[in-house]
Amino acid sequence: MNSTGELVEVVLPGRVEPEELRIRRGAVPVPGPGQVVVRTEATGVSFAEQQMRRGRYYDQPPFPFVPGYDLVGTVLAAGEGADPGLTGTRVAALVKVGGWASHVLVDAADVVPVPDGVGAAEAETLVVNGVTAWQMLHRKARVRAGHTVVVHGANGGVGSVLVQLALAAGARVIGTASARHHDALREQGVVPVDYRSGDLAARIRALAPGGVDAVFDHVGGRGITDSWSLIAPGGTLVSYGSASTRDAEGSKQWPVLKLLLRVWLWNALPNRRRACFYNVWAGKALAGNRFRSRLRADLTEVFAALQRGEVTARIAARLPLARVAEALRLAESGTVAGKVVLVP
C-alpha cells in the first residue's frame, strides 16, 4: 500500500509495446467540489486497455494519458459538496481512463459502495465485467428461467460472469471456448462448444434446433451474421465489441460503425428478432443521473450475487503497478482465466 502520500501513476505515451509504459510520480490530488480522492487498492487490465495501447479504442483520449478502466479503493478525502460520510469507505468506480494510479479523483456521484467482507481485488474483477454482464443479460436481453442463451468466449472476463449470472437466472447456457476450458465449463453446468472447430453455427444449431433466446457476441467481424442466424423469434442478439479487429490497421471507428449499421438494418426487418449494440457508457452524456443510478443499482446487484456465491471473483494474477508491462502481456496472452489485477 502506498502510504507515503505520493501519487504513482502509469502513463501510456503512445502506440507502444507494454514495456514502454511509463511510471510517473507526483503530488496526491486534492478533491474539487463534488469530488472524492480514492486511494486505489485494486485496478485491472481489461480489453479496453489492450485496444488503447494499439490506438484502437473507439473513443480513447489523445496520448499521453493514464489508462485504467475501473478501480476499487478507499475514499481518502471528500471535496466541498460531496458526502463527508464517504471518507474511509471502500468504493468501486467505473472511470474509463485514469484508474492505473495510486490515487484517483472521482466524482462522488460515480462511486458505488463495496459491501463489507468483499475484498478489493475480488470486487475489482466485477466492476466493468459485472456491470456489462448484468446489463446485457437483464436490461438488454431480459433473460429468464427456461431461456437458452449462447455466450461467446465463455471463459473470458465478461463471458465468465455472463455465464454465471445466466445460470443463476435459470437459463440453459451454451458457451463457446477453446477445448482446454470445456471441463471447467461443464462443471459449472454449461454446454461447451469449441469455437476453433469448423462450422460453429451448425454445431450450436444442433444443440438448439429452434434457435436461441439470446446470443452475447464480443467478437464482431464476419461471425456476427452467424450469431444473428441463431436467434429464435422473440430473441435478442447483443453485440458488445469487435475483438476480431483488435490487431487490425486502419480506422478504429469503422468496425464499430459497421456493427451499428448491421444492427440497425436487422432491426428494420420484420422478423420478430432484435439486435442491439451494447456500450456500458451509453446514456451518460444525455441522462447522467439516470445512468449513474442504473450503474449503482446493477453493480450493487452483482456484488450481492458475489456474496450469495452465484458469481465468483476470478483473479488470474495480482501484480504491483510497477509491473504493469508484465500484467498487460499476461492479460493479452489469452492463457489466463479471470482478471489480471494491479495492486498499487
Side-chain angles (χ1 to χ4, degrees):
M1 194 54 63
N2 181 1
S3 57
T4 58
E6 179 187 42
L7 170 68
V8 180
E9 54 190 0
V10 175
V11 179
L12 180 59
R15 289 179 59 177
V16 298
E17 292 303 306
E19 290 70 22
E20 294 167 83
L21 287 160
R22 295 202 300 259
I23 302 285
R24 181 168 69 195
R25 295 169 189 274
V28 172
V30 175
Q35 291 183 319
V36 293
V37 173
V38 178
R39 187 184 65 214
T40 308
E41 293 169 49
T43 177
V45 183
S46 54
F47 186 69
E49 289 100 15
Q50 300 173 34
Q51 287 182 302
M52 288 177 191
R53 176 175 84 71
R54 295 166 168 78
R56 305 281 314 161
Y57 191 77
Y58 61 96
D59 65 345
Q60 68 190 68
F63 296 117
F65 64 92
V66 176
Y69 213 82
D70 56 6
L71 64 112
V72 172
T74 298
V75 176
L76 268 191
E80 186 194 333
D83 176 7
L86 284 170
T87 305
T89 61
R90 178 174 278 169
V91 296
L94 196 60
V95 290
K96 195 186 285 188
V97 293
W100 288 1
S102 61
H103 301 78
V104 182
L105 279 178
V106 186
D107 283 345
D110 288 330
V111 302
V112 178
V114 174
D116 290 341
V118 175
E122 284 72 23
E124 161 53 32
T125 65
L126 292 171
V127 184
V128 63
N129 291 350
V131 164
T132 297
W134 181 274
Q135 293 188 340
M136 292 195 300
L137 194 75
H138 293 294
R139 292 191 183 272
K140 293 292 184 186
R142 301 191 180 91
V143 168
R144 295 185 304 281
H147 279 181
T148 296
V149 305
V150 173
V151 176
H152 286 302
N155 64 296
V158 174
S160 59
V161 185
L162 259 173
V163 160
Q164 295 178 86
L165 289 174
L167 290 168
R172 175 190 181 217
V173 180
I174 298 167
T176 71
S178 55
R180 68 172 181 273
H181 298 292
H182 287 195
D183 286 345
L185 287 169
R186 270 190 211 98
E187 276 167 37
Q188 283 182 272
V190 176
V191 181
V193 179
D194 188 347
Y195 69 84
R196 287 198 176 97
S197 59
D199 205 348
L200 184 60
R203 301 191 56 206
I204 294 171
R205 218 168 276 118
L207 294 168
V212 299
D213 299 288
V215 177
F216 300 94
D217 187 314
H218 68 299
V219 183
R222 287 191 205 120
I224 196 81
T225 47
D226 284 341
S227 289
W228 176 246
S229 74
L230 297 168
I231 303 289
T236 306
L237 166 64
V238 185
S239 164
Y240 67 104
S242 184
S244 63
T245 63
R246 184 186 78 173
D247 295 314
E249 293 300 319
S251 163
K252 58 178 181 268
Q253 275 86 16
W254 180 233
V256 175
L257 289 172
K258 224 160 33 176
L259 275 175
L260 288 171
L261 188 63
R262 238 181 206 149
V263 161
W264 180 83
L265 281 170
W266 282 333
N267 284 332
L269 300 170
N271 57 23
R272 294 176 47 221
R273 298 179 291 169
R274 278 189 326 131
C276 63
F277 185 79
Y278 173 83
N279 166 18
V280 73
W281 299 101
K284 177 151 196 188
L286 294 171
N289 287 341
R290 200 166 130 244
F291 171 88
R292 287 179 170 118
S293 60
R294 212 167 47 187
L295 182 82
R296 177 177 283 113
D298 296 347
L299 186 51
T300 300
E301 290 278 8
V302 171
F303 287 150
L306 174 67
Q307 290 185 295
R308 287 193 299 269
E310 292 169 1
V311 174
T312 52
R314 297 170 67 187
I315 301 166
R318 296 176 209 233
L319 291 164
L321 268 183
R323 286 167 65 189
V324 65
E326 203 179 320
L328 203 44
R329 288 263 180 234
L330 191 60
E332 291 187 9
S333 69
T335 60
V336 293
K339 189 151 188 187
V340 177
V341 175
L342 290 166
V343 186

